Amino acid sequence: MIFFANPYLQYLENKNEIKKNIDKFLKKGVYILGNDVINFEKEFSNYIGTKYSLGVNSGTDAILVSLKALNIGIGDEVITTSHTAIATVSAIISSGAKPVLVDIDEDNYNINHNYIIKSITKKTKAIIVVHIYGNPVNIKEIISIGKKYKIPIIEDCAQATGATFDNKKVGSFGTFGCFSFYPTKNLGALGDGGLVTTSNKQLAKKVNRIRQYGWNKKRDIAYIGFNSRLDEIHANILSVKLKYLDEDNNRRKKLAKYYLQNLNPKKFKLPKTSENSEHVYHLFVVQTKKRNQLIRRLKDKKIYLGIHYKKAVHQEKAYAKFCKIPKGGLKNTDKIIPKIVSLPMYPQLKFKEIKHICRILNEE
Ligand SMILES: Cc1ncc(COP(=O)(O)O)c(C=O)c1O
């Protein structure tokens, strides 16, 4: 049986270290925002290259907390892509702001900067770029749009922990970087978790308060917050896993290279990496005109594929009514949605397995 992701196999690789750490955590008896969270936040900031990291409950909350720290809410617009996890847009709607959905580049599935510029209005208060599938957006181009129009950039790095643009980690370019530690992510906890990176001291202080009801250390309240804390137990496990992240991402890159060299390009449209960037292949997504057939055929051989995503956000009725969608629609997004399929991709996938997968994929 081969799944498209398999966090359990990763756990098995680090089982002894994780168990030892959990034991230490249980003996300490500190469960919420203790030293394990503080240490992990420091380690993560060092890794990404930002001054501050603040652990929260999920990647969705990381985006929501960032928007709230920028005082974004009712009456404001936030530009993002429709080709993302529903979570990106869910966070914008939860803030009270209106998501403005723009189209992607057909080649790399990332938000297109020209469409961003066309969608900017007086109400635009942030641009959220998603490094989709682990493939970095041309973030320098986006940062210059942000500077020109004085709009903060939030990077949704949920799928791209460890990816780089111009040799700098994503999540270190924007006003905020938002990370998810959902178990299947490149850096995954054993449950929910997320984190916000920033190098702005005032904003870091604000996020620190918002994630805990608005409290500071003395529990004085300056403004309203909610409860979105990264648990000690997850921070503790994430500290172990962070040590192996680069190695794991390199294993993903090697597997991706194998797919790229061995899949038949006449049958599959293969992913492209943006220039100056290092893709970390959270997902390895190809396009095929015969998606349903392919999924069924591989399922018969006990190989399970995924689809990310079956519908773009503007195609989800419940969400679309809260979003602004350009008059001409989102043509590139609509074009790829029926064809995309995610192939098995996780560091523990064996070469003999990927060889077997490629052979079956290339068969008619
Ligand atoms: C692009 C993107 N943004 C945000 C999220 C939300 O993360 P979480 O599931 O931790 O809330 C995800 C996770 O699926 C994601 O892939």
Side-chain angles (χ1 to χ4, degrees):
M1 205 121 64
I2 304 174
F3 300 104
F4 77 85
N6 198 332
Y8 180 64
L9 293 183
Q10 192 191 36
Y11 162 69
L12 291 182
E13 277 189 353
N14 310 318
K15 187 172 79 173
N16 292 340
E17 218 176 330
I18 287 174
K19 280 190 169 165
K20 232 198 258 167
N21 264 32
I22 292 178
D23 206 41
K24 266 201 250 162
F25 152 79
L26 289 170
K27 278 188 191 138
K28 254 199 296 189
V30 177
Y31 306 100
I32 304 287
L33 293 189
N35 280 337
D36 285 344
V37 169
I38 293 170
N39 289 339
F40 174 65
E41 287 173 342
K42 279 189 194 144
E43 289 159 5
F44 200 79
S45 285
N46 284 340
Y47 179 77
I48 297 293
T50 53
K51 288 192 183 149
Y52 310 99
S53 281
L54 297 122
V56 292
N57 190 255
S58 66
T60 314
D61 276 2
I63 299 169
L64 178 58
V65 163
S66 302
L67 293 169
K68 285 189 174 292
L70 293 168
N71 297 322
I72 292 172
I74 294 168
D76 298 330
E77 291 181 353
V78 176
I79 296 174
T80 194
T81 161
S82 184
H83 180 54
T84 181
I86 205 81
T88 314
V89 178
S90 160
I92 300 172
I93 296 171
S94 298
S95 77
K98 190 180 245 328
V100 177
L101 303 179
V102 303
D103 214 352
I104 52 168
D105 273 333
E106 222 187 312
D107 271 351
N108 63 20
Y109 311 116
N110 272 324
I111 196 162
N112 176 296
H113 68 282
N114 289 320
Y115 299 130
I116 293 180
I117 293 167
K118 278 188 196 158
S119 303
I120 292 173
T121 68
K122 277 186 196 152
K123 292 183 182 173
T124 309
K125 292 292 162 5
I127 298 166
I128 304 183
V129 294
V130 182
H131 303 290
I132 197 80
Y133 303 150
N135 187 23
V137 170
N138 184 333
I139 188 68
K140 288 210 165 150
E141 210 162 55
I142 308 281
I143 293 291
S144 57
I145 295 174
K147 278 197 181 129
K148 182 169 173 197
Y149 294 90
K150 298 192 170 49
I151 300 168
I153 306 298
I154 298 174
E155 292 178 78
D156 181 341
C157 307
Q159 301 186 0
T161 312
T164 60
F165 190 87
D166 267 359
N167 297 318
K168 262 182 80 184
K169 297 265 166 38
V170 300
S172 66
F173 292 89
T175 303
F176 288 115
C178 299
F179 292 83
S180 164
F181 303 130
Y182 184 81
T184 58
K185 295 292 195 259
N186 291 40
L187 179 64
L190 302 181
D192 271 318
L195 183 141
V196 176
T197 51
T198 185
S199 288
N200 181 311
K201 192 174 180 183
Q202 289 313 315
L203 288 175
K205 273 189 182 169
K206 216 164 161 186
V207 168
N208 190 30
R209 279 178 174 250
I210 291 170
R211 72 172 169 178
Q212 193 168 218
Y213 322 118
W215 282 348
N216 66 3
K217 262 191 192 156
K218 293 181 189 160
R219 299 199 170 185
D220 292 333
I221 292 178
Y223 36 75
I224 288 169
F226 57 107
N227 175 0
S228 183
R229 300 175 291 219
L230 177 65
D231 289 326
E232 281 282 286
I233 189 162
H234 292 306
N236 176 310
I237 292 160
L238 287 164
S239 280
V240 175
K241 289 189 160 191
L242 183 60
K243 291 191 283 184
Y244 305 107
L245 177 62
D246 283 342
E247 195 181 309
D248 282 352
N249 281 343
N250 284 335
R251 289 159 83 182
R252 286 176 187 269
K253 286 180 210 172
K254 280 187 189 145
L255 292 164
K257 195 169 167 192
Y258 190 89
Y259 275 137
L260 290 168
Q261 288 175 345
N262 290 282
L263 286 176
N264 183 348
K266 289 194 182 129
K267 286 195 175 148
F268 301 101
K269 185 168 176 189
L270 302 170
K272 281 195 185 139
T273 305
S274 324
E275 268 175 46
N276 309 323
S277 65
E278 278 284 327
H279 196 322
V280 288
Y281 296 100
H282 170 58
L283 294 170
F284 191 92
V285 175
V286 297
Q287 289 183 44
T288 164
K289 287 182 191 145
K290 299 178 180 170
R291 184 168 73 185
N292 291 344
Q293 251 172 287
L294 186 81
I295 290 175
R296 253 183 274 126
R297 195 157 60 79
L298 269 85
K299 195 173 163 198
D300 286 345
K301 314 247 182 209
K302 300 205 173 341
I303 299 167
Y304 297 90
L305 309 183
I307 300 178
H308 300 85
Y309 299 92
K310 281 189 185 147
K311 285 184 183 177
V313 180
H314 71 284
Q315 298 166 342
E316 293 283 3
K317 276 191 195 149
Y319 276 80
K321 64 183 176 195
F322 291 102
C323 301
K324 197 162 149 186
I325 298 153
K327 273 200 192 112
L330 301 168
K331 289 193 188 118
N332 293 340
T333 307
D334 289 340
K335 209 153 111 191
I336 63 137
I337 288 291
K339 294 189 254 173
I340 47 176
V341 63
S342 311
L343 307 186
M345 174 53 79
Y346 48 89
Q348 294 72 25
L349 187 66
K350 295 188 179 79
F351 272 92
K352 84 171 183 235
E353 290 172 323
I354 196 170
K355 229 174 168 174
H356 174 61
I357 297 166
C358 286
R359 203 175 47 239
I360 296 171
L361 283 168
N362 286 337
E363 279 169 6
E364 195 59 62

